[in-house]
Amino acid sequence: SQKIEQNSEALNIQEGKTATLTCNYTNYSPAYLQWYRQDPGRGPVFLLLIRENEKEKRKERLKVTFDTTLKQSLFHITASQPADSATYLCALDTNAGKSTFGDGTTLTVKP
Amino acid sequence: SAVISQKPSRDICQRGTSLTIQCQVDSQVTMMFWYRQQPGQSLTLIATANQGSEATYESGFVIDKFPISRPNLTFSTLTVSNMSPEDSSIYLCSVEQASANTGELFFGEGSRLTVL
């Protein structure tokens, strides 16, 4: 069956450290993968998109990797700040432009 | 980027009633999507609304329960019909900007429904 799994529901780290979030998938062959941020009571906000032929993409303190052999994406936030605390969702392009979302990982960055 | 407005932002409804959620976009878009996010869970696609044609529903969702209108390229509505407490959820409208063609989705703030 098809699955998208994100690592542990919650991740707690100290300010200044690097947060690493994992997105694993099975029985999908996505053309691209996206990461979104969602704050409580708000809609998701797009952060980064990485295509199947890209290994890595960066945007400011964010870095995403995409390994289609391992069927895994890693999302890194370097020099994390309390303002980075939120739920992060990965989403796969699964069928004709539709996106299927993982359950999300809630990141808490402690000062 | 697209700016999406949803109404209502939240509502408390009685069992058996129906509620229509409106989604207004500040630019013309080809595809609009309706998602549901149940408490503590991720987003589940309900249907894709295309202007000028019937909405396409995902497995587990039917038109009688979730009728959708798409009268033009900037507006859509989702109705949650004959509501039960299991329909308590956040309903989110999203769009993919036609010019971007990257799959990037923009979301409204969501409509939080509580069914008593």
Side-chain angles (χ1 to χ4, degrees):
Chain A
S1 63
Q2 295 176 316
K3 281 185 186 177
I4 301 171
E5 293 181 325
Q6 294 190 238
N7 64 320
S8 64
E9 287 186 13
L11 180 65
N12 299 311
I13 64 169
Q14 208 65 36
E15 182 176 9
K17 300 291 186 183
T18 296
T20 298
L21 285 66
T22 305
C23 178
N24 294 295
Y25 59 93
T26 54
N27 294 320
Y28 286 114
S29 296
Y32 53 79
L33 184 149
Q34 304 169 68
W35 284 90
Y36 290 81
R37 169 181 173 144
Q38 187 174 25
D39 291 284
R42 310 294 294 273
V45 174
F46 172 81
L47 295 174
L48 280 168
L49 179 149
I50 187 165
R51 299 187 184 281
E52 60 178 338
N53 60 347
E54 297 175 315
K55 296 287 187 189
E56 180 180 299
K57 186 165 271 191
R58 293 175 185 261
K59 179 182 176 182
E60 297 173 352
R61 294 185 295 112
L62 308 180
K63 184 178 87 171
V64 172
T65 63
F66 192 13
D67 189 325
T68 55
T69 302
L70 292 178
K71 295 188 182 295
Q72 180 183 76
S73 175
L74 299 179
F75 177 79
H76 306 275
I77 306 175
T78 58
S80 60
Q81 305 165 359
D84 295 326
S85 299
T87 296
Y88 292 86
L89 304 164
C90 72
L92 272 61
D93 152 56
T94 51
N95 182 19
K98 297 176 187 175
S99 293
T100 301
F101 285 79
D103 287 342
T105 298
T106 299
L107 173 68
T108 301
V109 181
K110 298 181 179 178
Chain B
S1 63
V3 177
I4 302 169
S5 303
Q6 277 188 242
K7 292 181 184 179
S9 58
R10 57 178 64 231
D11 207 340
I12 299 173
C13 308
Q14 295 298 318
R15 183 194 298 259
T17 63
S18 299
L19 182 78
T20 296
I21 302 166
Q22 299 180 2
C23 177
Q24 179 74 52
V25 188
D26 69 343
S27 58
Q28 294 186 338
V29 292
T30 304
M31 297 172 78
M32 295 178 77
F33 304 94
W34 285 99
Y35 284 85
R36 180 174 74 183
Q37 188 172 30
Q38 294 182 304
Q41 296 187 26
S42 191
L43 288 79
T44 301
L45 182 63
I46 297 171
T48 303
N50 298 307
Q51 194 266 338
S53 63
E54 293 255 334
T56 305
Y57 289 83
E58 298 300 305
S59 175
F61 298 95
V62 294
I63 187 171
D64 289 345
K65 177 68 174 176
F66 297 102
I68 287 171
S69 78
R70 182 80 198 274
N72 57 53
L73 290 174
T74 64
F75 187 78
S76 178
T77 67
L78 170 76
T79 299
V80 187
S81 302
N82 188 24
M83 288 185 283
S84 66
E86 291 71 35
D87 294 319
S88 297
S89 189
I90 300 171
Y91 293 84
L92 293 146
C93 169
S94 76
V95 304
E96 178 183 294
Q97 278 200 302
S99 60
N101 195 29
T102 61
E104 174 184 342
L105 296 174
F106 298 93
F107 285 86
E109 296 293 355
S111 300
R112 181 184 293 271
L113 302 188
T114 301
V115 185
L116 304 178

